[in-house]
Amino acid sequence: MMINAGNKGRGRIRQPLALLSALLLVSGLLAACGTNADAPEAQASKQETAVQNNAADAEKSKAEQASIYPLTVKDELGHEVTIPAKPTKVFAPVMEDSLLTLGIKPVRQWSNGVSPQEYLQDQLGSVPQISFAGGQPSFEAILESQPDLIILHNAYAAENGVYEQYAKIAPTYVFKSASTDLNSSIRELGKLLGEEDRAAQAIKDYADKVTNAKAKLEGITKGKKAAIIRFNAKGMFFMNSDYFSGYVLAHELGFEPSSLVKGGAFEVSLEILPELDADYIFLVNDGNQGDRFVKELKESEVWKNVPAVKNGRVFETSNDYWLSGGFIAQSKVMDDVVRFLQP
């Protein structure tokens, strides 16, 4: 029987190749097993390293914050204020919105005697309230909270000896009007509280919010006038464009104020309604305290003939953030306006 020499040679070659392949396969399996066995330990090591790095960064941040204190500044009324260490117990009535924007809860929160700022209660629900319904609350009540920094939102809050009383309790900083220029007041708060990075980020985030809202309302607000009518237990009033939701509509979203408001009319009467030249009207019922006046307005024949009413461009809200200042409040106002007006 003839044997094919070529086939025999190929058979000899196949045997070492098969053996080599088997060795490689086993080696690969062993390497994979080794890798899998080491994975939990490697992962744990990475996690431990990440925790250590985060802790180191936190300690570095604390050290950097501590290095700026004691901090001596002049407030907007010219008082020299020295803050010995990073404040941890802050009392800033009416500025809770801005404090929360910087990640800080106050020791007490402002209240009108009926309720606090409702839109912040998801974050401030556990913070004790202090009523300003009858004017300045007792200094003893504030002293009990042991604040290490007091911040007053405008010059009026410091009048009639109030500043001097507060300054006896803790270092006290006064803004001329914190709500007039939020970017500036947030920066200053960041400096006082050792949160300058957070302040810068908050300003950027709010600017992005404004840009997005304007883009959504493009073509709706251009050349249009708006008016905000506020209702409370005393009557009906126009809100001007210098602060709160009035500022948002005029300066952030691009509405023109009604000629009535620009002319200085702030109290609303049925007699002047025919002069109301607003394309859009927003009704803000302060805690539903103005129900009687809302009803009176809606039942008036004069009101029914106002162009914005006839065109279905009147929008109502009782949310208190329309009557509040701060990035949180004003962002919510923008969300409402976009929801009201966007097709």
Side-chain angles (χ1 to χ4, degrees):
M1 181 174 61
M2 297 290 296
I3 298 175
N4 188 315
N7 288 340
K8 184 176 181 181
R10 282 194 293 271
R12 289 173 180 168
I13 292 171
R14 284 194 194 105
Q15 290 178 0
L17 285 176
L19 181 59
L20 179 60
S21 298
L23 288 172
L24 288 174
L25 178 59
V26 171
S27 176
L29 290 171
L30 289 173
C33 290
T35 301
N36 289 337
D38 293 338
E41 293 181 9
Q43 187 65 25
S45 176
K46 287 180 182 179
Q47 290 175 350
E48 184 178 350
T49 301
V51 169
Q52 290 173 348
N53 289 340
N54 289 338
D57 289 343
E59 288 302 317
K60 181 181 177 182
S61 177
K62 286 180 182 178
E64 289 173 349
Q65 290 171 353
S67 69
I68 70 171
Y69 300 101
L71 174 67
T72 298
V73 297
K74 278 194 174 182
D75 72 11
E76 294 186 356
L77 297 190
H79 305 115
E80 187 173 278
V81 184
T82 298
I83 305 171
K86 179 176 170 60
T88 59
K89 301 178 73 177
V90 183
F91 178 58
V94 191
M95 294 193 69
E96 291 86 354
D97 186 311
S98 293
L99 288 184
L100 291 174
T101 296
L102 299 182
I104 294 170
K105 285 187 178 182
V107 292
R108 289 282 189 107
Q109 63 170 316
W110 174 93
S111 167
N112 62 8
V114 178
S115 65
Q117 297 166 95
E118 294 293 347
Y119 75 98
L120 298 176
Q121 293 314 293
D122 59 333
Q123 299 182 70
L124 293 181
S126 62
V127 176
Q129 301 174 23
I130 187 164
S131 173
F132 281 74
Q136 178 62 42
S138 75
F139 292 104
E140 289 76 13
I142 298 166
L143 183 59
E144 286 176 6
S145 301
Q146 299 181 323
D148 50 24
L149 178 63
I150 296 171
I151 303 170
L152 303 181
H153 71 290
N154 64 31
Y156 302 109
E159 290 181 344
N160 302 318
V162 171
Y163 174 82
E164 288 73 17
Q165 291 288 337
Y166 276 134
K168 291 177 183 178
I169 299 172
T172 301
Y173 184 99
V174 187
F175 286 96
K176 284 184 179 178
S177 179
S179 61
T180 301
D181 184 348
L182 276 178
N183 283 358
S184 176
S185 61
I186 286 286
R187 283 194 198 96
E188 190 63 20
L189 276 180
K191 178 181 177 182
L192 298 176
L193 302 171
E195 299 290 351
E196 291 181 280
D197 289 345
R198 281 201 180 198
Q201 186 61 50
I203 290 168
K204 180 185 180 302
D205 291 345
Y206 183 73
D208 291 343
K209 177 87 175 184
V210 172
T211 299
N212 291 336
K214 288 179 75 171
K216 290 176 181 177
L217 296 174
E218 188 176 7
I220 296 176
T221 61
K222 187 175 181 180
K224 301 297 183 181
K225 294 182 179 181
I228 301 173
I229 302 177
R230 174 185 181 177
F231 300 83
N232 60 26
K234 296 179 180 179
M236 305 179 286
F237 307 89
F238 287 117
M239 289 185 64
N240 69 29
S241 59
D242 294 336
Y243 57 92
F244 304 161
S245 51
Y247 186 93
V248 174
L249 265 61
H251 297 279
E252 312 288 35
L253 300 182
F255 283 103
E256 285 285 328
S258 162
S259 301
L260 275 178
V261 180
K262 284 198 293 188
F266 296 113
E267 187 167 352
V268 180
S269 67
L270 298 179
E271 288 73 21
I272 67 171
L273 285 179
E275 302 174 38
L276 184 54
D277 57 345
D279 299 286
Y280 296 92
I281 301 173
F282 301 89
L283 308 181
V284 184
N285 191 348
D286 188 354
N288 295 112
Q289 296 178 63
D291 287 347
R292 177 167 67 90
F293 296 102
V294 173
K295 183 173 184 292
E296 177 185 333
L297 181 70
K298 289 183 175 180
E299 291 177 351
S300 164
E301 290 300 321
V302 179
W303 170 252
K304 293 174 183 177
N305 285 303
V306 170
V309 178
K310 295 170 74 172
N311 293 329
R313 292 180 173 178
V314 178
F315 306 93
E316 299 184 55
T317 179
S318 60
N319 290 307
D320 59 347
Y321 49 80
W322 278 72
L323 306 174
S324 300
F327 285 163
I328 299 173
Q330 296 187 182
S331 293
K332 288 178 176 290
V333 170
M334 282 190 276
D335 288 341
D336 280 355
V337 175
V338 168
R339 178 170 54 85
F340 289 152
L341 304 187
Q342 195 175 36

